[in-house]
Amino acid sequence: MLDPYNRKINYLRISVTDRCNLRCRYCMPEDGVCMLKHKDIISYEEIQKVVKIAVSLGIDKIRLTGGEPLVRKDIVELVRMIAEVDGVKDLAITTNGVLLEKFAQPLAQSGLQRINVSLDTLDAEKFTQITRGGNLYSVLKGIEAAQKAGLHPVKINCVIEQSSDEPDALAVKQYCAENGLQVRFIHQMDLSSGHFSIVEGGSGGDCAHCNRLRLTPTGKMKPCLFSDLEFDIREMGIKGAIEAALLAKPEKGTINLSNCFHNIGG
Ligand code: SF4
């Protein structure tokens, strides 16, 4: 499907939860966040319906995000439900990797094709400081398990402050080169000020070639990460919400005052 700027939109990012088992400083505020109510979170059956209709309209690439998608109960079952939808050519997940060692094999067996794992530093102490309590080694073991499970490619999302020449970024780059991993550098973004830039080694933030829509955990179809516009699948119907979001896609992102990264999945 084409949006009003003739961009081919074939990619749907689905945030399945606002919950996370880490508290990264650039994502979650110090004093925590108010979590979405369970009753407002859309079910796996609703998500599968969205995927079926989205595919019939031209979507063929699906990414599951969060919060942290692996903390949502029975996430492997959701992957299986999406993988069985005809027309889904590319099924990926973005995870912080903390639970990945346990989930890599079952995810791969359920039809997941590829994975992005967040890793900003290889300094264990700094990792714990950035994530407010995370353990670097659980993530490194998760990455290994993902490669062993045959997920490919395994990409590393490395958030940088200023440049990919920062010492932590260079260390992550070398780690990736030594372990057959692809690295992408993500400049810190700010939804409320509209500060963002193109992902180094990826396609995010490249508005001129934007190909995506987003679905929030509460069933809001969003035309753009840096916009307040959203269309409720429960109110408008799934097809109506997708078509409205497509028509409302902006030429480029501006600001988003209604979402946070942990409930829209970046
Ligand atoms: S800011 Fe909006 S238009 Fe730009 S790449 Fe992101 S989602 Fe697409």
Side-chain angles (χ1 to χ4, degrees):
M1 53 188 164
L2 295 177
D3 76 355
Y5 300 92
N6 262 338
R7 294 171 294 194
K8 182 174 180 236
I9 309 302
N10 70 324
Y11 179 17
L12 178 61
R13 295 173 65 98
I14 302 174
S15 172
V16 298
T17 180
D18 62 335
R19 316 233 157 192
C20 187
N21 46 6
L22 292 180
R23 289 283 176 275
C24 300
R25 290 176 185 278
Y26 47 75
C27 177
M28 291 255 192
E30 178 92 43
D31 46 8
V33 284
C34 54
M35 293 296 176
L36 298 168
K37 296 192 188 64
H38 187 68
K39 68 173 178 55
D40 297 332
I41 304 280
I42 56 173
S43 67
Y44 286 172
E45 288 69 26
E46 285 177 286
I47 292 175
Q48 190 189 41
K49 270 198 205 128
V50 168
V51 171
K52 283 181 177 166
I53 294 171
V55 165
S56 74
L57 296 170
I59 295 285
D60 58 17
K61 184 177 169 180
I62 303 284
R63 178 177 294 275
L64 300 179
T65 66
E68 168 50 40
L70 301 188
V71 303
R72 185 155 172 187
K73 196 165 168 291
D74 300 331
I75 187 71
V76 174
E77 176 56 16
L78 176 62
V79 168
R80 190 193 59 70
M81 290 167 73
I82 295 175
E84 75 180 20
V85 175
D86 270 347
V88 172
K89 293 188 188 127
D90 182 348
L91 179 52
I93 208 168
T94 298
T95 172
N96 63 26
V98 171
L99 299 173
L100 188 51
E101 189 181 10
K102 174 179 146 198
F103 280 100
Q105 194 66 34
L107 287 169
Q109 283 163 348
S110 299
L112 189 73
Q113 294 160 332
R114 56 197 190 89
I115 195 161
N116 289 47
V117 185
S118 308
L119 183 65
D120 305 333
T121 177
L122 286 159
D123 176 322
E125 237 175 80
K126 200 164 179 192
F127 183 90
T128 303
Q129 191 257 339
I130 292 171
T131 59
R132 293 200 188 98
N135 177 320
L136 170 67
Y137 302 105
S138 63
V139 176
L140 298 181
K141 277 191 270 180
I143 293 167
E144 236 176 84
Q147 290 181 301
K148 275 207 192 98
L151 295 169
H152 184 79
V154 175
K155 294 186 180 179
I156 299 299
N157 289 356
C158 179
V159 172
I160 50 179
E161 287 174 26
Q162 303 298 332
S163 116
S164 51
D165 295 329
E166 290 156 9
D168 284 312
L170 291 173
V172 170
K173 196 174 183 177
Q174 180 165 350
Y175 164 77
C176 290
E178 287 164 2
N179 293 283
L181 302 160
Q182 296 177 23
V183 63
R184 308 154 76 257
F185 294 110
I186 302 172
H187 292 256
Q188 288 194 16
M189 303 182 266
D190 183 339
L191 290 171
S192 58
S193 69
H195 171 72
F196 69 95
S197 41
I198 296 180
V199 172
E200 288 181 41
S203 56
D206 180 4
C207 302
H209 303 98
C210 185
N211 63 347
R212 59 205 63 193
L213 294 173
R214 287 176 171 80
L215 182 68
T216 71
T218 55
K220 308 292 189 304
M221 196 59 71
K222 289 198 65 89
C224 169
L225 176 61
F226 282 84
S227 158
D228 287 315
L229 292 173
E230 54 187 34
F231 303 90
D232 192 324
I233 64 166
R234 287 177 172 168
E235 282 168 20
M236 302 178 72
I238 294 170
K239 192 162 182 284
I242 294 173
E243 289 172 340
L246 181 73
L247 279 179
K249 271 197 74 68
E251 188 172 9
K252 58 183 179 359
T254 49
I255 61 169
N256 178 345
L257 301 174
S258 42
N259 298 105
C260 310
F261 280 117
H262 66 89
N263 63 28
I264 194 172

